[in-house]
Amino acid sequence: MAHNEREALSPVGFEHLRVNVADKVATAQWYVDNFGLEVVPSGNKDLVCVADKDENFKFEFSSIPNIRNVYSDLHVDSIHVAIEGHQSFQKMAEKLQASCASQQVKMCRNAVGDEMLFARDPNGLFIELIHRVSPFCASPVKGATRFEHLALNTPNQMISALWYVEFMNLVIPWSKDIDAKANNFRDYRVPYVGDVARKMSFEFYDKTGSDYSFSKFSHEECHIAFTTHDPEKLAERMVFGGAKVVSPLRTGLNGDQFIDLVDPRNFPIRLIKRKEAVL
């Protein structure tokens, strides 16, 4: 390898979003009942996890006392999680309205015809249920829904997207916005950044009217986790790009290895080398 070539690292995959909540068991059941997700083993009594039935991605719920466990102060344009695939939107809206999450159930349609339904979960976190005219990811096989993206309001979204491509080996598989004046080419004003397996993605945008709430979270309150076989080498590359290590490499009782960092925008990231895959 020439001295100016980057070392090839193993593929990086989205794995989970950790959210600290008041009641992890009740929260997990709410997602099972309302979105068709399923509880998956965590190997850790302090966590309850739910994934889509194709096991593309999962929530990891904890209930750690004396730290943030409600998110009702966050705006939908600050951070939200999108689940794709369901077509019975009116029924879903009625179901969510009755189940109680919140009274903030909103339905809308974008310029290309995608249907969207926004609701807060029992802890105030915004969830987007979306039915795509042209799905970005593979259609669900085992269930009606699948995780699609985690949306973040971030300063200069295109630079943020390119940082994940350059320093975490992720890819830009699609962009939401179409410029009709330029032969319908995607203009990448709202880029999506995904893993090479197309299992999950980030959606980045910069809306100045909403704050950058993720910069307020600790890793125990909220983090996004990625799997890699090279956590130390990947962390070194991320630090070279402006990330900061919060907790150096450590090994769990089950043999998993973890490194906690924040990206240049201060969003909490966990790198995990699993002894055995959980999805």
Side-chain angles (χ1 to χ4, degrees):
M1 183 174 66
H3 73 278
N4 60 342
E5 292 182 7
R6 295 198 308 171
E7 180 182 1
L9 301 180
S10 62
V12 176
F14 284 84
E15 192 201 78
H16 70 254
L17 176 67
R18 164 76 69 84
V19 185
N20 193 61
V21 299
D23 187 332
K24 58 184 183 291
V25 174
T27 297
Q29 190 61 48
W30 186 85
Y31 279 93
V32 170
D33 293 342
N34 289 285
F35 289 94
L37 304 184
E38 61 182 5
V39 175
V40 295
S42 69
N44 183 338
K45 64 180 178 58
D46 295 325
L47 301 172
V48 178
C49 301
V50 293
D52 56 56
K53 291 184 178 180
D54 292 320
E55 296 193 344
N56 296 295
F57 187 73
K58 66 176 183 173
F59 277 123
E60 212 179 66
F61 295 120
S62 61
S63 294
I64 302 171
N66 302 320
I67 61 173
R68 175 192 277 268
N69 60 19
V70 293
Y71 305 89
S72 52
D73 60 313
L74 305 183
H75 191 275
V76 64
D77 287 334
S78 296
I79 182 171
H80 67 261
V81 181
I83 298 173
E84 195 272 337
H86 208 292
Q87 297 185 48
S88 303
F89 265 55
Q90 187 58 47
K91 290 183 179 180
M92 280 299 299
E94 294 170 1
K95 186 176 183 180
L96 289 170
Q97 195 80 54
S99 77
C100 106
S102 78
Q103 300 306 306
Q104 299 185 50
V105 176
K106 176 184 177 183
M107 295 175 61
C108 57
R109 189 187 300 268
N110 65 18
V112 297
D114 298 334
E115 291 181 293
M116 295 166 287
L117 188 159
F118 290 94
R120 289 190 187 270
D121 79 359
N123 312 286
L125 181 66
F126 260 114
I127 303 299
E128 176 188 13
L129 182 64
I130 184 165
H131 175 58
R132 297 280 188 193
V133 174
S134 299
F136 293 158
C137 303
S139 298
V141 176
K142 297 180 181 179
T145 58
R146 60 160 294 154
F147 282 100
E148 190 198 82
H149 69 259
L150 170 64
L152 294 175
N153 192 38
T154 179
N156 198 330
Q157 71 276 14
M158 287 181 281
I159 295 298
S160 295
L162 289 174
W163 186 89
Y164 280 89
V165 172
E166 178 71 14
F167 298 105
M168 289 195 67
N169 296 338
L170 299 179
V171 296
I172 300 180
W174 50 71
S175 175
K176 181 172 67 175
D177 288 356
I178 295 177
D179 187 350
K181 296 180 181 179
N183 299 316
N184 289 327
F185 289 140
R186 301 285 182 172
D187 65 10
Y188 290 94
R189 187 184 66 82
V190 181
Y192 284 72
V193 177
D195 49 17
V196 294
R198 290 198 170 202
K199 289 182 175 290
M200 183 61 174
S201 62
F202 280 127
E203 177 191 12
F204 292 119
Y205 44 76
D206 186 1
K207 296 189 177 182
T208 55
S210 300
D211 67 13
Y212 307 119
S213 299
F214 55 83
S215 63
K216 302 174 183 178
F217 297 143
S218 71
H219 277 76
E220 295 303 320
E221 292 168 333
C222 178
H223 67 250
I224 187 79
F226 297 88
T227 55
T228 172
H229 293 305
D230 306 301
E232 291 181 290
K233 290 181 179 180
L234 180 58
E236 183 179 355
R237 181 173 294 176
M238 292 165 66
V239 169
F240 181 77
K244 296 178 182 179
V245 174
V246 176
S247 298
L249 185 72
R250 59 203 187 278
T251 302
L253 295 176
N254 63 355
D256 293 344
Q257 294 182 319
F258 304 85
I259 300 177
D260 287 342
L261 306 96
V262 291
D263 75 1
R265 311 298 193 188
N266 210 41
F267 186 74
I269 295 171
R270 174 165 291 176
L271 304 181
I272 304 177
K273 181 179 181 180
R274 293 287 188 190
K275 189 173 182 180
E276 295 184 11
V278 297
L279 291 178

